[in-house]
Amino acid sequence: MSKRIVGREAVATKGWLRAHKWLLLRRMSQLGILGLFLLGPLAGIWLIKGTLSASTVLGILPLTDPLILVQSFAAGHLPETAAVFGLIAVLVIYSLLGGRTYCAWVCPVNLITDAAAWTNRRMDSKKNLNLSKTTRWWLLGLIIILSAVSGGIVWELVNPVTTLQRGLLFGMGAGWLLLAAIFVFDAFVQRHGWCGHLCPVGAAYSLLGFTAALRMKAAGRDRCTDCMDCFTVCPEPQVISPALKGGEDSSLLILSPNCLNCGRCIDVCPQDVFCFSKRA
Amino acid sequence: MEKEQPTSPSRRRLLTETLPAAASALVLTALLGAHQRTASALPPYAIRPPGALPEENFLSACLRCGQCVRACTEKLRHDKGGEMPQPETFPTDAGAFVSQLAELGENAPLETAVPVLRLAELGSGIPAGTPYFVPRISPCRLCEDMPCVNACPSGALSKKLKSIYEARMGLAVLVDHENCLNHLGLRCDVCYRNCPVIDKALTLEMQVNQRTGVHARLIPTVHSKHCTGCGRCERSCVLENAAIKVLPLAQAKGTLGRHYRLGWEEKEKAGHSLIPPVLELPVRKPEELP
């Protein structure tokens, strides 16, 4: 039996463009958001000022990263109103869109980890660290405790998400080393290692996923041919089973807050099983 | 009973999943904590923007967003009529910067063209993403509308700062008494002339030049009551390595012992001297010889 290449069947049945629709849209979103931030320093057009940790849109709307503000609060600082309004804005946006939509559509590190995941699939590596996916929860809790104990926002010393974005906007310094390490880790040590096992930023955003109005739906699960392409490509494959392989009375919706709403399962499925849907 | 335990699913889960996950997270957090201890010491050449909370509070408040840096650079660009070289064309290290300026000679950029606030890069020795400036490279311009403070969303640059002249970013110190030209007896005075709070924060104090015996020396003297720590004096010092430097307040200022009392102040408060004006001492005469 020849090795199955993920998405090849989807390309054959739906055409290349439809089999990469959500991937292309997602890349446009990720690069577009980066572009909006870069428009200021490069062209002098200030639609958005700041970085992903905190910013101001059009000089009015503040946005604040929840995890950074939580660490700041744990470290003993009461933030000013702008930062608090920014937090509320972010909480509202992501509890509607799904917290980890941030990971798939905004976070620039996703470009690196997706490339690493692609490399990992190509290598067809059987070796894996088998790190538990719950590691990120421990890390999330521990960095908040460390912030409280040490009185500083600790995760921002190394946070790859802001390191990459801030690096592109202000100067990278040794940030490339950190990002290269994440690529190597994801590609050769642990599949989906960073985003799927360790990143506490993603873990924090996933807490906003419980109420998300936007969810993936395995609407056509009757058509599933068990080709496994969606499981192979999904950064959080454990979230698919309950919707796709659940019993008769199980929900068709992917309810796990860890789903990134990335839409890759829609792309690679030759049977068009998945679609975006409202939480019913 | 003891034999059955290893097969219990919850125990198996604890051993194969929960413990390794918690342990990995603990190792990473411990590394992070160790890194934090070394990364949180601010080098003395890096000065925080106006209104910055004391360093330990600053690190809990600063969201690392860089909006103060943007506001600062934009203000400078605006004042300069739109021209501004990119910050990365100038080295962070003050020594490298000064030698670069020397190499450029007449082509060296005007002081106003060099950005002030920078955002620390990872591995620069300053906590990543926090704002700072290096006075020798580009001093704070003391904008009266304080764009950096107004841009800060978190209060790390405190809006309690009502006037830029109340800013205490650091304190200028004439650190080198051996090479300062005024100390050598010349009338350099450049730091004094450049001080934005001239005659209050920086004064010239006259002394006798002991070397010649007949000339005066005018010693640049900083007064912490008025010095904002902007660093114009350090930037303007004509020496290759500045004799006057802005230092973080904690390094620059001494503290009197809490029990110390200044006699002349106590005298003024009490209205009279605290010790009797004249001590009556017994008159001792050599014994008269018979």
Side-chain angles (χ1 to χ4, degrees):
Chain A
M1 202 180 91
S2 69
K3 189 164 99 61
R4 184 182 175 87
I5 290 179
V6 181
R8 177 175 281 180
E9 202 187 329
V11 172
T13 55
K14 303 196 288 188
W16 190 90
L17 201 62
R18 265 196 66 213
H20 291 84
K21 178 180 156 192
W22 292 104
L23 182 67
L24 290 174
L25 286 173
R26 217 152 53 76
R27 292 288 176 259
M28 278 162 63
S29 165
Q30 290 163 338
L31 295 172
I33 287 167
L34 206 54
L36 287 179
F37 277 100
L38 279 167
L39 217 49
L42 294 185
I45 305 166
W46 295 102
L47 298 176
I48 185 163
K49 262 187 193 173
T51 62
L52 285 176
S53 59
S55 59
T56 311
V57 182
L58 297 171
I60 309 167
L61 177 70
L63 295 171
T64 315
D65 183 271
L67 178 57
I68 296 177
L69 209 63
V70 166
Q71 288 176 80
S72 175
F73 188 72
H77 177 73
L78 275 178
E80 275 184 7
T81 46
V84 176
F85 279 127
L87 173 73
I88 293 167
V90 167
L91 292 183
V92 168
I93 293 169
Y94 287 103
S95 46
L96 287 174
L97 291 179
R100 293 206 65 196
T101 303
Y102 175 89
C103 302
W105 294 81
V106 178
C107 178
V109 172
N110 182 269
L111 292 161
I112 296 173
T113 53
D114 268 3
W118 182 86
T119 312
N120 185 289
R121 282 199 298 274
R122 280 289 154 128
M123 304 264 301
D124 198 24
S125 166
K126 295 282 180 285
K127 285 256 170 68
N128 217 357
L129 190 64
N130 277 329
L131 202 63
S132 164
K133 276 187 173 285
T134 56
T135 311
R136 51 188 157 187
W137 295 108
W138 291 99
L139 202 53
L140 176 64
L142 285 169
I143 61 168
I144 292 171
I145 292 170
L146 185 60
S147 289
V149 172
S150 67
I153 300 177
V154 285
W155 189 246
E156 280 315 292
L157 291 172
V158 294
N159 185 358
V161 179
T162 48
T163 296
L164 174 55
Q165 205 225 12
R166 204 167 49 221
L168 294 171
L169 293 170
F170 290 94
M172 192 62 85
W176 290 119
L177 290 175
L178 182 70
L179 297 162
I182 284 180
F183 178 86
V184 170
F185 180 70
D186 268 29
F188 307 111
V189 183
Q190 169 73 60
R191 190 175 306 130
H192 301 300
W194 186 259
C195 306
H197 296 76
L198 291 174
C199 181
V201 180
Y205 271 105
S206 75
L207 292 173
L208 303 177
F210 289 102
T211 58
L214 182 69
R215 290 284 78 179
M216 304 298 305
K217 189 177 188 182
R221 68 180 175 192
D222 303 338
R223 292 194 293 274
C224 176
T225 58
D226 294 331
C227 75
M228 299 299 283
D229 275 4
C230 55
F231 284 98
T232 314
V233 87
C234 179
E236 303 281 349
Q238 78 282 4
V239 308
I240 299 178
S241 316
L244 188 64
K245 297 292 161 196
E248 282 294 305
D249 49 352
S250 74
S251 172
L252 294 171
L253 291 168
I254 293 180
L255 292 168
S256 164
N258 273 323
C259 171
L260 281 74
N261 281 345
C262 72
R264 266 311 262 164
C265 51
I266 304 179
D267 281 352
V268 300
C269 181
Q271 304 296 330
D272 280 332
V273 166
F274 298 96
C275 62
F276 278 107
S277 166
K278 271 198 328 221
R279 179 187 290 262
Chain B
M1 207 58 199
E2 287 290 308
K3 294 273 179 198
E4 276 171 37
Q5 261 186 353
T7 56
S8 118
S10 65
R11 185 181 157 90
R12 187 182 155 77
R13 199 179 145 81
L14 177 77
L15 288 178
T16 60
E17 219 188 302
T18 313
L19 273 181
S24 324
L26 201 62
V27 168
L28 288 173
T29 313
L31 287 174
L32 186 61
H35 170 63
Q36 184 195 21
R37 297 197 69 133
T38 53
S40 300
L42 195 66
Y45 62 80
I47 303 295
R48 294 289 186 205
L53 300 174
E55 188 60 14
E56 62 274 20
N57 301 344
F58 186 81
L59 290 178
S60 70
C62 174
L63 301 176
R64 280 74 161 164
C65 71
Q67 294 186 76
C68 53
V69 179
R70 287 290 180 238
C72 176
T73 313
E74 281 308 294
K75 180 78 191 295
L76 272 181
R77 193 198 298 272
H78 182 259
D79 291 352
K80 191 76 176 55
E83 280 175 55
M84 177 72 72
Q86 285 301 304
E88 44 270 31
T89 53
F90 297 97
T92 328
D93 174 49
F97 173 75
V98 173
S99 51
Q100 184 178 326
L101 280 191
E103 271 171 37
L104 287 168
E106 281 184 11
N107 299 320
L110 293 172
E111 188 199 281
T112 48
V114 183
V116 181
L117 280 187
R118 295 145 178 271
L119 213 56
E121 297 171 354
L122 194 73
S124 62
I126 301 165
T130 58
Y132 70 100
F133 68 100
V134 180
R136 186 62 168 168
I137 294 179
S138 195
C140 173
R141 304 300 196 277
L142 298 182
C143 312
E144 302 212 336
D145 55 348
M146 298 187 276
C148 51
V149 178
N150 289 325
C152 179
S154 71
L157 305 182
S158 173
K159 295 194 173 55
K160 283 182 192 146
L161 185 68
K162 291 298 171 211
S163 153
I164 190 66
Y165 293 103
E166 289 165 15
R168 296 293 176 265
M169 296 171 265
L171 180 62
V173 183
L174 184 66
V175 281
D176 190 349
H177 291 199
E178 292 172 334
N179 292 304
C180 167
L181 296 184
N182 274 42
H183 260 278
L184 291 173
L186 281 77
R187 286 299 304 272
C188 163
D189 297 1
V190 170
C191 54
Y192 166 75
R193 296 280 167 212
N194 270 286
C195 177
V197 203
I198 186 169
D199 283 328
K200 284 183 181 159
L202 195 49
T203 58
L204 293 175
E205 304 293 330
M206 192 157 71
Q207 288 181 0
V208 175
N209 187 335
Q210 302 287 350
R211 181 172 56 82
T212 64
V214 290
H215 299 95
R217 293 196 311 169
L218 289 147
I219 304 300
T221 308
V222 181
H223 303 275
S224 65
K225 196 180 167 203
H226 294 287
C227 175
T228 61
C230 74
R232 260 182 193 276
C233 51
E234 179 177 347
R235 177 67 182 89
S236 64
C237 179
V238 300
L239 300 189
E240 278 185 25
N241 187 356
I244 189 164
K245 289 187 166 82
V246 175
L247 299 177
L249 277 172
Q251 264 119 313
K253 257 182 91 91
T255 315
L256 284 177
R258 229 180 278 168
H259 61 290
Y260 281 31
R261 299 289 179 271
L262 301 175
W264 53 95
E265 282 181 3
E266 296 301 320
K267 185 176 171 183
E268 204 158 298
K269 253 190 261 170
H272 56 82
S273 176
L274 299 183
I275 50 168
V278 182
L279 291 176
E280 279 186 30
L281 297 169
V283 180
R284 292 173 199 264
K285 287 186 215 163
E287 273 176 38
E288 268 174 49
L289 293 167

